[in-house]
Amino acid sequence: MIYDPYRDVFYRLTLPAVEYDPDASDEDLNSLNYYRPYTGILLLDKDLNVMGEHTFGPYEVYAEYNFFVGKEGLYLSRNNLFHPDYDEGVFRYLVVRFENGEE
């Protein structure tokens, strides 16, 4: 869980289940160990009550290890190898802000 001192909330990053494709190649299945297609986020208040949640689109963010909280919101890395505009020479972040329990 990630504490946000600016908004007095917690974020819980999730890795939603991926539907298994029996025709997928070994390489495609192995990539799930490193780059999950979906990342979700759960917003909790200071008493750990659920306030909202969101699941990002396929390969939209890579937030397993590269995230931080700033005054503007929660910064999640967009540097996912399988994202269409991936560029290894550029750090990209998506700033997430929830309003009224929703993104």
Side-chain angles (χ1 to χ4, degrees):
M1 290 210 305
I2 309 156
Y3 179 64
D4 182 339
Y6 302 102
R7 284 157 281 284
D8 198 24
V9 297
F10 290 91
Y11 305 108
R12 171 71 170 102
L13 299 177
T14 61
L15 298 173
V18 177
E19 187 174 320
Y20 173 71
D21 178 3
D23 296 325
S25 69
D26 288 344
E27 183 178 331
D28 288 339
L29 293 174
N30 191 39
S31 72
L32 292 176
N33 291 323
Y34 305 102
Y35 294 96
R36 298 293 298 262
Y38 297 99
T39 299
I41 186 167
L42 191 63
L43 177 67
L44 303 141
D45 68 13
K46 64 181 178 180
D47 298 317
L48 302 182
N49 297 306
V50 175
M51 297 174 62
E53 62 183 310
H54 178 75
T55 301
F56 298 96
Y59 304 112
E60 187 176 351
V61 297
Y62 177 68
E64 285 188 65
Y65 306 108
N66 193 353
F67 53 81
F68 62 93
V69 173
K71 288 183 181 181
E72 299 299 317
L74 174 64
Y75 289 73
L76 300 175
S77 174
R78 296 196 70 166
N79 293 343
N80 190 309
L81 182 63
F82 296 105
H83 193 276
D85 66 353
Y86 173 75
D87 181 349
E88 69 181 26
V90 178
F91 282 123
R92 293 185 179 145
Y93 288 91
L94 173 67
V95 181
V96 178
R97 293 184 283 289
F98 286 86
E99 294 182 19
N100 300 324
E102 298 180 8
E103 182 192 22

